[in-house]
């Protein structure tokens, strides 16, 4: 995905530099903000490079630049609160109240960027690792899939009943799925901005069971706008999934199993359940992995991760 390029124009060096610095941290991986104090320097920049969004404190100055570079989007950093959108001679300009926190200004910018579709969704792959067979190496396989940077950067998301968090993670990451459930974009993005490779399962399996298909879809849509990742692997515990519909949003469903008769019987029952719920389209996404095979199971999954 191309990084969204944002420019801020204001004659006060301290203000524009501090705001640009904060916004670059806030939108790390999604946008790049450049500060300008001189209109001529900005015009020279726009003559050579593209800006997706230009914000400034002088509305008339912005209108002049907008006439020359109409392909960019514009936001007026106004001294007073007012209507969100101004239209003048067919030219649209968004309004952001200047005298609020940098965080609030950044959220307004993010809303504009998302509304205008400037954040172009990247082609990532989303993999669910699930198995009706217990103690088959499911979690080991899921963690291996995300631990080798040779295949690019992948995000492991734990959704197990009970888990052993043996990998380092930030404290806030433990609340990740709670934030997803609350639709807390700011908190989810804050965690992702640190580029973690591991999100542990919540402490309580009863809380994990509250995650449903709509929650997964909401997160995947948000995650598609993040840069730096090839995809995400969800490690889903047997007792966590409330409905087979939760598997629908994923591109691939990896099911590790063992070849003994009990494990094969559980696999067959799982397939019967899919048919009973008329979700036959899931079969096209399923990849069975025999964990007793002497070969490295990741060899069979390589094409899914490329």
């Amino acid at each position: 995905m191309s990084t969204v390029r944002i420019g801020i124009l204001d004659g006060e060096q301290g203000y524009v530099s501090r705001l640009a610095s904060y916004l670059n941290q806030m939108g790390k991986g999604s946008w790049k903000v450049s500060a300008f104090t001189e209109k001529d320097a900005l015009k020279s920049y726009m003559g050579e490079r593209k800006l997706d969004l230009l914000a400034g404190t002088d509305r008339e100055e912005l209108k002049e630049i907008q006439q020359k570079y109409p392909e960019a989007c514009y936001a007026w950093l106004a001294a007073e609160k007012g209507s969100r959108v101004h239209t003048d001679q067919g030219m649209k300009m968004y309004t952001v109240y200047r005298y609020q926190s940098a965080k609030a200004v950044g959220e307004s910018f993010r809303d504009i960027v998302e509304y205008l579709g400037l954040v172009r969704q990247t082609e990532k792959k989303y993999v669910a690792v699930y198995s009706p067979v217990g103690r088959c190496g499911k979690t080991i396989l899921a963690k291996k899939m995300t631990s080798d940077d040779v295949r690019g950067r992948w995000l492991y998301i734990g959704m197990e009943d009970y888990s052993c968090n043996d990998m380092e993670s930030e404290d806030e990451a433990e609340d990740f799925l709670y934030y997803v459930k609350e639709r807390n974009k700011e908190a989810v993005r804050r965690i992702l901005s640190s580029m973690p490779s591991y999100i542990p399962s919540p402490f309580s399996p009863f809380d994990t069971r509250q995650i449903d298909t709509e929650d997964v879809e909401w997160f995947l849509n948000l995650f598609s706008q993040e840069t730096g990742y090839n995809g995400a692997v969800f490690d889903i515990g047997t007792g966590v999934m409330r409905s087979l519909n939760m598997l629908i949003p994923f591109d691939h469903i990896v099911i590790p199993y063992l070849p003994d008769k009990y494990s094969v019987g559980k696999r067959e029952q799982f397939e019967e359940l899919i048919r009973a719920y008329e979700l036959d389209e899931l079969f096209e996404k399923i990849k069975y992995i025999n964990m007793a095979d002497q070969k490295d199971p990741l060899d069979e999954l390589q094409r899914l991760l490329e």
Side-chain angles (χ1 to χ4, degrees):
M1 175 180 106
S2 300
T3 302
V4 176
R5 295 190 175 275
I6 300 174
I8 303 177
L9 176 63
D10 184 77
E12 187 180 333
Q13 177 71 50
Y15 168 76
V16 74
S17 296
R18 287 193 299 272
L19 180 57
S21 177
Y22 178 86
L23 294 176
N24 275 321
Q25 289 297 317
M26 178 181 181
K28 184 178 180 181
S30 298
W31 62 37
K32 178 176 175 58
V33 182
S34 300
F36 300 92
T37 56
E38 299 290 340
K39 183 172 63 175
D40 290 342
L42 170 65
K43 286 183 176 180
S44 176
Y45 180 94
M46 294 183 73
E48 299 176 358
R49 305 175 185 85
K50 175 186 175 184
L51 278 180
D52 297 296
L53 174 66
L54 174 62
T57 54
D58 189 324
R59 185 183 177 194
E60 294 304 314
E61 201 168 47
L62 286 177
K63 288 168 64 176
E64 177 189 335
I65 299 170
Q66 190 176 31
Q67 291 291 334
K68 186 172 183 179
Y69 302 101
E71 66 278 3
C73 302
Y74 292 82
W76 174 33
L77 294 169
E80 297 180 358
K81 295 181 180 180
S83 59
R84 186 169 181 266
V85 182
H86 289 270
T87 302
D88 186 7
Q89 298 180 352
M91 306 295 280
K92 184 179 291 186
M93 187 176 297
Y94 294 85
T95 302
V96 175
Y97 179 50
R98 176 179 180 178
Y99 296 114
Q100 57 183 333
S101 67
K103 175 182 175 182
V105 171
E107 287 300 325
S108 296
F109 280 11
R110 196 188 296 279
D111 288 342
I112 293 172
V113 164
E114 290 184 356
Y115 177 75
L116 295 174
L118 297 178
V119 177
R120 294 164 286 278
Q121 295 189 354
T122 58
E123 289 191 14
K124 297 183 177 67
K125 293 183 179 179
Y126 306 118
V127 182
V129 182
Y130 172 81
S131 180
V133 179
R135 304 299 299 168
C136 63
K138 173 182 67 68
T139 295
I140 293 174
L141 178 62
K143 289 182 177 179
K144 279 187 176 181
M145 290 172 67
T146 59
S147 63
D148 188 351
D149 286 340
V150 172
R151 288 180 289 275
R153 191 173 188 86
W154 286 74
L155 178 63
Y156 169 95
I157 299 177
M159 286 186 60
E160 293 191 280
D161 314 57
Y162 295 91
S163 64
C164 173
N165 295 333
D166 60 342
M167 299 174 68
E168 290 187 5
S169 64
E170 297 186 8
D171 292 340
E172 193 177 27
E174 296 181 2
D175 296 325
F176 182 81
L177 289 180
Y178 299 106
Y179 292 143
V180 170
K181 191 69 181 177
E182 295 168 357
R183 301 292 191 271
N184 190 333
K185 286 185 179 181
E186 180 184 340
V188 171
R189 284 179 169 140
R190 185 170 61 246
I191 294 172
L192 293 176
S193 67
S194 64
M195 296 298 289
S197 58
Y198 174 73
I199 301 293
S201 298
F203 171 74
S204 171
F206 308 110
D207 291 339
T208 313
R209 288 171 191 159
Q210 300 306 310
I211 300 296
D212 56 26
T213 308
E214 289 72 25
D215 298 322
V216 173
E217 290 175 337
W218 179 86
F219 168 72
L220 294 183
N221 180 65
L222 187 68
F223 187 62
S224 68
Q225 301 168 13
E226 298 294 323
T227 60
Y229 287 100
N230 292 63
V233 174
F234 284 64
D235 181 9
I236 303 175
T238 307
V240 164
M241 195 163 60
R242 297 170 61 183
S243 167
L244 289 175
N245 289 324
M246 185 182 284
L247 297 175
I248 293 176
F250 294 97
D251 299 309
H252 305 286
I253 304 166
V254 175
I255 300 181
Y257 73 100
L258 298 171
D260 62 89
K261 69 175 184 178
Y262 299 106
S263 298
V264 172
K266 291 181 180 180
R267 167 179 162 174
E268 292 174 350
Q269 183 181 355
F270 175 67
E271 293 176 346
E272 291 173 5
L273 196 61
I274 291 176
R275 296 187 183 95
Y277 281 92
E278 298 182 348
L279 294 172
D280 293 58
E281 67 269 22
L282 294 181
F283 287 117
E284 298 178 6
K285 302 180 180 183
I286 290 176
K287 174 66 176 178
Y288 289 106
I289 300 294
N290 182 353
M291 297 300 287
D293 197 316
Q294 294 300 313
K295 295 185 297 183
D296 185 344
L298 286 179
D299 290 342
E300 296 188 52
L301 296 174
Q302 188 64 39
R303 66 176 183 82
L304 302 184
L305 305 179
E306 291 177 344

